Structures are given as structure tokens and as C-alpha cells.
């Protein structure tokens, strides 16, 4: 079982309480109508799918029900750090980082 | 300890009670504390009050208030008199859930049959919204051997069946 640190509950909690919600920090275009079809398609569907540290949104759905962001290493499946919505994303560690 | 001396673990349905789901900004808390006569904790997981009348903090801006059934009309009229500058919502969800009291030395083991949280390590008292066998539940730990579980009515047959099955395994 993976344990995830919820930045709102300030506790390490089992993964069953959480839901994955896709890549983080994708900004919705100000004026979608002005976009070309290709740019709109890229916004909707193209994701980084990184191998290694990856910024993700998670939701503590069976808990405080807050969305938050996490930096997860997709190779080791370790969650490196979790942080609240609106906070600046931490830079991916250059080498193997510790647990959050 | 021989089995005969071990206090039995029991699951007891609680009588109907008043449940309010409360969302508000920190500025609204003083008004609510006056209204309900309970202090509102501000850290997620904290609970204040007694087992039959308490406030638990479920999220950064979300609280759950539980009171005995006979207070219904008094609380309803008190809520109606909240001043206009109150920023928040109070929703009556009394009929939405059914409460259970889970008591006994093996109460945490029983709940851990479906709930992945570390219930023995949970502070006393504390509260949480969590999950039991895929179903969202409200949990309050009053003592190491006494938990309150609140679950939506429609999930009661499922939760009861799971608990009864786990009770058999405890023997």
C-alpha cells in the first residue's frame, strides 16, 4: 500500500482515500474560441507522460476532499513531495530524492 | 487473556440524531460557536464535544455537527436567525446517514477489516472522513476501544454485512 501525505490534513494516509486527477499545472487557454483546432486538441489531450518525476493532481476524495498537487516519480512510483493548490511547483530533484 | 474474559466487541446502531454539514470561512466560526455552543476546531481531524453532541473538522473549511434528536426544532430556529453577514452554509443531513457505535477491545481491528487507515495510531479523540470497503464513512475515535461510524443509509446493508462477517472472524 502506498501512503500519501495530504497537505491539507497534514497526515500520511493510505492511497485508497485518494483519487488520481491527471497532470498538474495545465493552464486553460484564456480564449478557447481563438485557438486553432490543433492547439485546442493539444490542450485537451496531449500530456507529458514523463518517465521520472511528474507533476500530478490528486484529490483526497475520501477525506478532506481537497485537490492538491504531487510530484511523483513514475519509475519508482514514489511520491516525492505533495503541495497545496496554488503553490509553486517544486523543481524535480536532480537525483534520487527522499520521501515527502 | 482467555476468550471468556475478553470483553466482546459490539456494533450498536445509534438512535437518530441531528447532523449538520457546515461550510464556512474562518470569519464565520465565532457566530457558529455561539449558535451551537461548541468550539469549532480548525485542524482537519480534530473533534470537540461529547459523544452525543460534537463538532468535527472534516476539511479546511468543512465541519460536521452532531446533536441529539430532541434538539431538532431548537437548532432549526436558531439557524434561521443567523445574521445576513454570515458567510457559509449549514445543510441538514440528519436523515442521510446512520450511526453505529463500535465498542470493545477489538474495535480497531474490526474497523480495519475494511478501513485502510491506521486506527490504532489515530489520536483520541479525533475524527475523519475515510473509506470502508469502498464506501465513504465518517469515523470518530472517542477512545481506543470506542468508535462512532456514520454511513449513508443506502450503504448500510453492505457495511453491516461486512462488519458482521468481520465480527465472526474475531471470535
Amino acid at each position: 500500500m502506498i501512503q500519501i501525505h495530504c497537505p491539507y490534513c497534514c497526515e500520511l494516509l493510505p492511497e485508497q482515500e485518494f483519487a488520481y486527477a491527471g497532470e498538474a499545472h495545465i493552464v486553460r487557454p484564456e480564449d478557447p474560441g481563438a485557438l486553432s483546432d490543433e492547439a485546442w486538441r493539444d490542450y485537451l489531450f496531449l500530456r507529458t507522460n514523463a518517465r521520472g518525476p511528474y507533476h500530478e493532481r490528486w484529490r483526497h476524495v475520501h477525506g478532506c476532499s481537497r485537490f492538491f498537487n504531487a510530484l511523483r516519480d513514475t519509475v519508482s512510483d514514489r511520491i516525492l513531495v505533495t503541495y497545496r493548490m496554488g503553490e509553486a511547483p517544486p523543481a524535480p530533484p536532480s537525483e534520487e530524492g527522499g520521501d515527502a | 487473556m482467555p476468550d471468556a474474559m475478553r470483553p466482546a466487541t459490539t456494533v450498536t446502531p445509534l438512535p437518530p440524531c441531528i447532523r449538520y454539514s457546515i461550510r464556512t470561512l474562518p470569519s464565520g466560526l465565532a457566530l457558529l460557536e455561539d449558535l451551537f455552543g461548541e468550539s469549532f476546531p480548525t485542524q482537519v481531524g480534530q473533534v470537540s464535544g461529547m459523544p452525543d453532541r460534537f463538532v468535527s473538522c472534516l476539511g479546511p473549511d468543512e465541519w460536521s455537527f452532531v446533536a441529539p434528536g430532541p434538539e431538532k426544532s431548537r437548532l432549526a430556529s436558531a439557524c434561521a436567525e443567523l445574521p445576513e453577514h454570515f458567510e457559509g452554509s449549514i445543510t441538514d443531513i440528519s436523515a442521510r446517514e446512520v450511526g453505529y457505535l463500535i465498542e470493545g477491545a477489538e474495535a480497531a481491528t474490526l474497523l480495519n477489516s475494511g478501513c485502510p487507515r491506521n486506527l490504532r495510531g489515530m489520536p483520541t479523540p479525533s475524527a475523519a472522513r475515510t473509506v470502508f470497503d469502498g464506501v465513504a464513512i465518517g469515523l470518530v475515535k472517542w477512545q481506543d476501544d470506542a468508535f462512532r461510524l456514520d454511513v449513508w443509509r443506502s450503504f448500510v446493508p453492505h457495511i453491516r454485512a461486512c462488519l458482521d462477517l468481520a465480527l465472526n472472524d474475531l471470535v
Side-chain angles (χ1 to χ4, degrees):
Chain A
M1 180 168 74
I2 301 173
Q3 289 196 303
I4 300 173
H5 182 268
C6 172
Y8 292 95
C9 298
C10 305
E11 238 187 304
L12 202 59
L13 295 164
E15 60 167 315
Q16 285 91 333
E17 293 192 0
F18 295 85
Y20 177 71
E23 187 175 359
H25 306 298
I26 292 178
V27 181
R28 184 182 166 86
E30 288 276 336
D31 182 8
L35 289 189
S36 67
D37 285 351
E38 284 72 24
W40 183 240
R41 174 205 63 196
D42 291 355
Y43 160 71
L44 285 181
F45 301 114
L46 287 197
R47 295 296 178 260
T48 312
N49 195 22
R51 184 178 188 280
Y54 193 34
H55 294 284
E56 297 173 330
R57 269 185 316 177
W58 284 77
R59 187 177 179 216
H60 192 188
V61 57
H62 291 305
C64 63
S65 75
R66 287 296 146 140
F67 281 92
F68 62 91
N69 291 323
L71 184 64
R72 182 175 66 97
D73 190 314
T74 56
V75 177
S76 63
D77 202 22
R78 266 173 194 251
I79 298 210
L80 306 174
V81 64
T82 58
Y83 51 104
R84 294 183 179 206
M85 278 297 173
E87 289 179 1
S94 48
E95 52 192 339
E96 192 82 340
D99 256 345
Chain B
M1 192 181 345
D3 279 351
M5 285 171 63
R6 189 187 300 237
T9 300
T10 54
V11 178
T12 322
L14 291 167
C17 62
I18 308 295
R19 293 181 185 85
Y20 286 163
S21 168
I22 298 167
R23 304 286 303 267
T24 185
L25 300 171
S27 60
L29 286 184
L31 276 171
L32 292 173
E33 289 182 346
D34 286 347
L35 183 73
F36 295 125
E38 299 283 353
S39 69
F40 275 60
T42 49
Q43 170 69 41
V44 179
Q46 283 180 336
V47 59
S48 66
M50 303 301 292
D52 64 337
R53 197 179 197 281
F54 62 89
V55 175
S56 55
C57 184
L58 297 180
D61 60 357
E62 184 178 3
W63 288 265
S64 164
F65 171 70
V66 171
E71 287 194 47
K72 186 181 175 69
S73 54
R74 193 184 68 77
L75 286 171
S77 54
C79 288
E81 281 166 24
L82 267 174
E84 285 218 346
H85 61 83
F86 170 69
E87 295 177 296
S89 72
I90 302 175
T91 312
D92 186 345
I93 53 166
S94 307
R96 189 180 78 177
E97 294 172 357
V98 174
Y100 286 97
L101 181 67
I102 292 151
E103 266 184 315
E106 302 294 328
T109 313
L110 181 67
L111 285 166
N112 270 141
S113 67
C115 175
R117 260 192 200 231
N118 176 8
L119 298 176
R120 291 193 193 279
M122 210 170 150
T124 310
S126 66
R129 181 164 46 207
T130 177
V131 64
F132 187 98
D133 203 55
V135 177
I137 57 162
L139 205 59
V140 185
K141 181 179 183 181
W142 287 111
Q143 284 158 24
D144 286 336
D145 57 356
F147 291 82
R148 180 197 169 100
L149 182 151
D150 283 286
V151 60
W152 286 28
R153 260 182 330 184
S154 50
F155 290 115
V156 163
H158 173 64
I159 296 292
R160 240 358 264 256
C162 287
L163 287 174
D164 288 344
L165 205 61
L167 269 175
N168 285 337
D169 287 348
L170 287 183
V171 178

